[in-house]
Amino acid sequence: QVQLVESGGGLVQPGGSLRLSCVASGRISSINTMGWYRQVPGKERELVAGIGSGGRTNYADSVKGRFTIFRDNVKNTYLQMNSLKHAETDVYYCNAVTWGGTTEWGQGAQGTVSS
């Protein structure tokens, strides 16, 4: 199994930045892809960014050029969010998909963009 713990949420003004961190533990070697999703109550959870085991990344169109997903090692995955908008006030979830096809989620980190 894989466990994911998130940190780095908080309050920023529009145009500000946040960096989210996701620390994986357990069977780290089983992880195929990592990703970040966001969700508000009553809406579907939406992919923000993903990164594969080979380093290939993908982003939602709405965040391209502003957000960056990256790893500094197999354990830690980050989402750098720049030029944040009010509409991006969401709970952000770290996600891992294993080679065996299972999915794990972090506990969620609240990102609030407000003036």
Side-chain angles (χ1 to χ4, degrees):
Q1 60 180 351
V2 175
Q3 298 82 42
L4 305 175
V5 178
E6 302 178 34
S7 62
L11 173 66
V12 296
Q13 295 184 350
S17 297
L18 287 172
R19 179 177 289 186
L20 304 179
S21 176
C22 180
V23 179
S25 61
R27 295 187 62 198
I28 305 300
S29 62
S30 71
I31 296 174
N32 183 2
T33 63
M34 297 292 300
W36 290 95
Y37 290 70
R38 61 188 178 190
Q39 186 175 32
V40 297
K43 297 183 180 179
E44 295 183 0
R45 191 169 296 184
E46 181 180 73
L47 175 68
V48 177
I51 185 166
S53 60
R56 185 176 181 179
T57 59
N58 64 283
Y59 297 92
D61 287 343
S62 62
V63 309
K64 288 180 179 177
R66 297 187 295 117
F67 291 11
T68 304
I69 185 171
F70 63 98
R71 301 168 173 160
D72 61 6
N73 55 48
V74 69
K75 182 178 179 181
N76 301 322
T77 305
Y78 304 90
L79 183 67
Q80 178 67 43
M81 303 187 290
N82 297 330
S83 301
L84 282 160
K85 304 172 181 179
H86 180 267
E88 293 169 324
T89 294
D90 297 307
V91 177
Y92 289 79
Y93 294 92
C94 181
N95 162 270
V97 179
T98 69
W99 294 105
T102 61
T103 301
E104 301 293 340
W105 295 96
Q107 81 278 14
Q110 176 68 51
T112 301
V113 186
S114 177
S115 59

